[in-house]
Amino acid sequence: MKTVHDRTFGKLRKMMGKGKKAMLYKKSGFLLQKSIVVALLAAVCVCVCGGGGGTASAEGRLKVGGTGDTPPVYFKDAQSVLIGFEVDVLREIGRRIGKDMEFTAIDWPRKTEILNSGTIDVIASALSITDKRKVSYSITQPIINNAQVTVVLADSPVKEQDDLGTKTVCVLEGSFIIPIVEKFRGKSGPVAAIQTDTNESCLISMMGGEVDATVVDKVTAYYYVKHNPGVFRILPGSFAKDRSAFALRKSEAALRDQFDRAIAEMENDGTMGRLRKRWFDEELCCLIELNNKIYMKKTL
């Protein structure tokens, strides 16, 4: 498995030099920042980034970590402040359980190590629920119906998932979807999967011709496609369907139960629905809505 090292946009432009590819990077080199401007017109959120030491129980504060480029779930605005659907959800959970929330971006492949070290107390940013993760973490009830979809350039000859055979596909390092992508065989054979440490690095590598496609969360794919018109498109179907939740340390089952009760209340009193409508357009909101209010009532 190859690994594509993270590159800043400045480094990319310097590496590409002058010419057509350099202009391509220059034109769309700030994919997330461009998207943020549109998002902030529809939603206003203030959060505190970073965080000090101490424990949640001692200081009444929970430190949340996630990727910084999973829009519109958990991402940085133009001032590097973390915003998004999950930031709003966690702030409301904190209000209900009497905890302040602090938000930071983390190295996603090291999320388990960072959580267990006490540097953070909660993993966010569209964490997919898997059996393996249930063993490692105390996982909350799901808040998003999600899927892992394939993004290609708008003018790519790849029209469907079966066309990915022999193509190079980029995936976020530490994602549960990696072994599924590695085992996939298209019409022309298996794919060549590579990993990178941010979602945006995958997209930038694709724009530079280094990879042919990117597999990413559906909610994030929709966001990048919508706010970068004419640049990307999503292939029909998905590699997997999944649900997203928050993860706490395995020893924090009692705190996880508090999260679950707050999530259930928010589902049943309409708060969660309002937050989804704030951050997702109508089509995507319908796709991710969880029809589990009856189930949630059992956790109250």
Side-chain angles (χ1 to χ4, degrees):
M1 172 80 63
K2 300 177 182 178
T3 299
V4 177
H5 297 290
D6 182 36
R7 306 179 179 92
T8 64
F9 296 121
K11 288 181 180 178
L12 271 174
R13 288 195 286 270
K14 187 178 293 184
M15 289 172 60
M16 299 305 299
K18 297 180 180 180
K20 186 175 181 180
K21 285 188 177 180
M23 292 303 293
L24 177 63
Y25 283 122
K26 186 173 182 179
K27 180 180 179 182
S28 47
F30 295 94
L31 302 176
L32 186 54
Q33 286 82 348
K34 284 176 61 183
S35 303
I36 288 164
V37 173
V38 179
L40 289 179
L41 295 177
V44 177
C45 170
V46 179
C47 72
V48 179
C49 293
T55 64
S57 59
E59 300 183 17
R61 180 177 65 231
L62 295 177
K63 294 162 285 184
V64 181
T67 64
D69 67 340
T70 308
V73 176
Y74 193 95
F75 64 114
K76 292 181 178 181
D77 67 9
Q79 286 73 47
S80 294
V81 175
L82 283 160
I83 62 173
F85 170 68
E86 287 189 4
V87 171
D88 282 2
V89 169
L90 285 163
R91 284 195 176 280
E92 179 61 19
I93 290 173
R95 186 186 71 80
R96 295 184 186 221
I97 68 173
K99 299 284 187 181
D100 292 328
M101 298 285 181
E102 296 185 0
F103 302 93
T104 190
I106 61 171
D107 180 11
W108 190 249
R110 296 180 55 243
K111 56 187 174 292
T112 303
E113 173 190 345
I114 295 170
L115 177 69
N116 289 334
S117 72
T119 303
I120 62 172
D121 303 296
V122 183
I123 300 175
S125 66
L127 180 86
S128 300
I129 302 172
T130 66
D131 290 340
K132 183 177 180 180
R133 285 174 175 168
K134 287 179 181 178
V135 174
S136 301
Y137 310 130
S138 288
I139 295 182
T140 68
Q141 296 300 328
I143 59 170
I144 298 175
N145 274 331
N146 209 348
Q148 303 299 310
V149 300
T150 306
V151 178
V152 296
L153 294 179
D155 60 357
S156 170
V158 176
K159 303 300 181 185
E160 57 186 27
Q161 199 163 293
D162 277 346
D163 294 337
L164 292 174
T166 71
K167 303 296 184 182
T168 303
V169 179
C170 188
V171 187
L172 178 66
E173 187 178 357
S175 171
F176 84 97
I177 201 66
I178 292 170
I180 297 175
V181 173
E182 289 178 328
K183 294 176 182 177
F184 177 78
R185 292 185 65 87
K187 290 182 290 189
S188 302
V191 303
I194 64 172
Q195 299 179 39
T196 185
D197 55 4
T198 68
N199 290 314
E200 188 148 311
S201 291
C202 276
L203 297 173
I204 294 297
S205 294
M206 187 168 66
M207 293 176 68
E210 297 175 48
V211 301
D212 301 296
T214 295
V215 176
V216 68
D217 292 312
K218 176 184 282 187
V219 293
T220 297
Y222 266 73
Y223 192 92
Y224 277 117
V225 169
K226 178 179 179 179
H227 296 297
N228 294 278
V231 179
F232 308 116
R233 59 184 168 83
I234 301 172
L235 298 184
S238 66
F239 272 97
K241 294 182 179 180
D242 61 287
R243 285 183 166 189
S244 302
F246 303 118
L248 292 76
R249 282 181 288 278
K250 195 67 177 177
S251 60
E252 296 281 8
L255 181 58
R256 186 270 320 278
D257 291 345
Q258 291 184 52
F259 269 57
D260 282 348
R261 284 191 290 272
I263 290 170
E265 292 170 356
M266 292 166 67
E267 290 284 3
N268 291 320
D269 66 17
T271 302
M272 197 71 78
R274 289 191 292 273
L275 292 178
R276 291 190 183 108
K277 288 179 181 178
R278 174 184 295 178
W279 286 101
F280 306 110
D281 61 30
E282 186 174 353
E283 178 186 7
L284 188 55
C285 192
C286 291
L287 288 172
I288 67 170
E289 192 73 38
L290 293 170
N291 298 316
N292 60 350
K293 289 188 178 181
I294 294 176
Y295 175 81
M296 285 295 186
K297 286 179 181 177
K298 296 179 182 179
T299 68
L300 290 174

